[in-house]
Amino acid sequence: AKVGLIKTPETVRTLVLDFENSTHLLPIDRINLYEAPFIECSETLEAVINDKEIATKYDRIVIDSLDWYISKIERYLCEKHNKKSITDFQWGSGQQQVADIIRKQITLFDKAKNKGFGITFVAHSKKNPVDDPESGYTTDVYDIAVHQKPANIIKEYVDIVMFAHIQSGGVVQEDKGFGQTRNRQVGKEKRLLYFQPTDRHVAKSRYPLPRSCELNYLTYRDELSKAKALVGVMSNPDDV
């Protein structure tokens, strides 16, 4: 997924801020911030935004990943207040402080966008139990793998929340003999990007994008360009 969206011949002007040390084997330009504390990461982001040479070489900044970046904020707050865990803060105030810092970080992201950078957040997912008020049942919904307070701020801030999914080609049941059966996968898997929410995952788009498309940067860029044209937004298709 990262290769398909972050690094293609058409995205060579992308700079990845790698907070989890997961892109070292990918052919991308990156700054490794795996061992850097939060303050250093924030200062690095600001320096990247203000660097004129970087601005001439890159037009997109990738935060990889959002959940690892937020974990650095949690460690920063724990060290600052002498806590072992973010859950040690009373009445859930730890996550509220994380959310407050994220709001301040948004001023940096806005500054980057105003200087012509597109911002992409990569995040892992987790299953959250959600109660369905109509059926009364609880279902698992894939969401960003961070606490809901900072997660909601980011989801409200961005123009598009995409969910990457591998769709199975299908399964058939075969007879093994002796009254036993086995399942066998048939057809090819599909790697998809979803722009619309379902009862299984979160997603959103402020543009009239289709329900999904192939997980490929060129396909995504073309779909976004068409969607922006529909709403009269004639901007750089990378400016998301």
Side-chain angles (χ1 to χ4, degrees):
K2 290 180 181 179
V3 174
L5 283 179
I6 294 176
K7 187 67 176 182
T8 73
E10 290 73 26
T11 59
V12 293
R13 291 176 58 80
T14 294
L15 178 64
V16 176
L17 301 187
D18 187 348
F19 299 104
E20 59 177 83
N21 199 28
S22 65
T23 62
H24 58 287
L25 297 179
L26 299 180
I28 59 175
D29 292 345
R30 72 181 189 126
I31 298 176
N32 187 2
L33 294 169
Y34 174 65
E35 295 184 353
F38 164 65
I39 295 299
E40 182 180 337
C41 292
S42 182
E43 291 174 347
T44 300
L45 174 59
E46 186 164 17
V48 165
I49 294 168
N50 292 326
D51 192 296
K52 293 182 179 179
E53 184 176 344
I54 286 179
T56 61
K57 188 176 181 181
Y58 305 104
D59 54 25
R60 187 158 62 123
I61 298 171
V62 174
I63 305 297
D64 187 11
S65 64
L66 176 64
D67 33 310
W68 279 66
Y69 190 40
I70 288 177
S71 70
K72 289 178 179 290
I73 297 176
E74 292 178 352
R75 287 198 295 272
Y76 161 73
L77 288 171
C78 288
E79 292 172 0
K80 180 179 179 180
H81 297 283
N82 195 28
K83 304 288 186 182
K84 292 183 178 180
S85 169
I86 199 70
T87 60
D88 290 341
F89 289 81
Q90 290 186 337
W91 313 111
S93 62
Q95 288 297 343
Q96 184 57 54
Q97 291 184 60
V98 173
D100 292 341
I101 290 177
I102 286 295
R103 287 192 181 92
K104 293 178 181 178
Q105 290 290 288
I106 283 177
T107 61
L108 278 180
F109 303 141
D110 281 339
K111 186 175 181 181
K113 290 168 66 177
N114 291 336
K115 291 199 172 189
F117 290 104
I119 303 292
T120 299
F121 301 97
V122 179
H124 299 93
S125 64
K126 67 176 181 179
K127 291 181 180 180
N128 283 339
V130 176
D131 294 329
D132 187 335
E134 294 185 1
S135 67
Y137 292 106
T138 299
T139 58
D140 288 331
V141 178
Y142 284 97
D143 203 340
I144 299 174
V146 297
H147 190 275
Q148 63 180 1
K149 287 185 178 179
N152 287 342
I153 292 171
I154 292 295
K155 287 186 291 185
E156 292 168 5
Y157 173 69
V158 299
D159 292 330
I160 303 171
V161 177
M162 298 178 284
F163 178 74
H165 175 62
I166 300 177
Q167 185 181 76
S168 172
V171 175
V172 296
Q173 196 171 71
E174 295 180 334
D175 185 6
K176 290 176 60 178
F178 302 101
Q180 294 182 332
T181 60
R182 66 181 177 186
N183 293 329
R184 180 172 65 86
Q185 183 171 315
V186 296
K188 292 184 178 180
E189 294 180 338
K190 293 182 180 179
R191 292 174 176 264
L192 299 174
L193 273 180
Y194 286 88
F195 307 109
Q196 306 298 333
T198 70
D199 59 353
R200 292 296 182 182
H201 65 255
V202 299
K204 83 163 195 181
S205 175
R206 293 193 174 113
Y207 301 103
L209 286 162
R211 179 173 179 268
S212 64
C213 78
E214 179 187 356
L215 201 164
N216 175 279
Y217 178 76
L218 290 180
T219 304
Y220 159 67
R221 187 192 65 181
D222 292 344
E223 292 291 351
L224 183 58
S225 295
K226 288 187 290 185
K228 285 187 173 183
L230 286 174
V231 295
V233 181
M234 305 304 293
S235 60
N236 186 340
D238 291 331
D239 183 16
V240 295

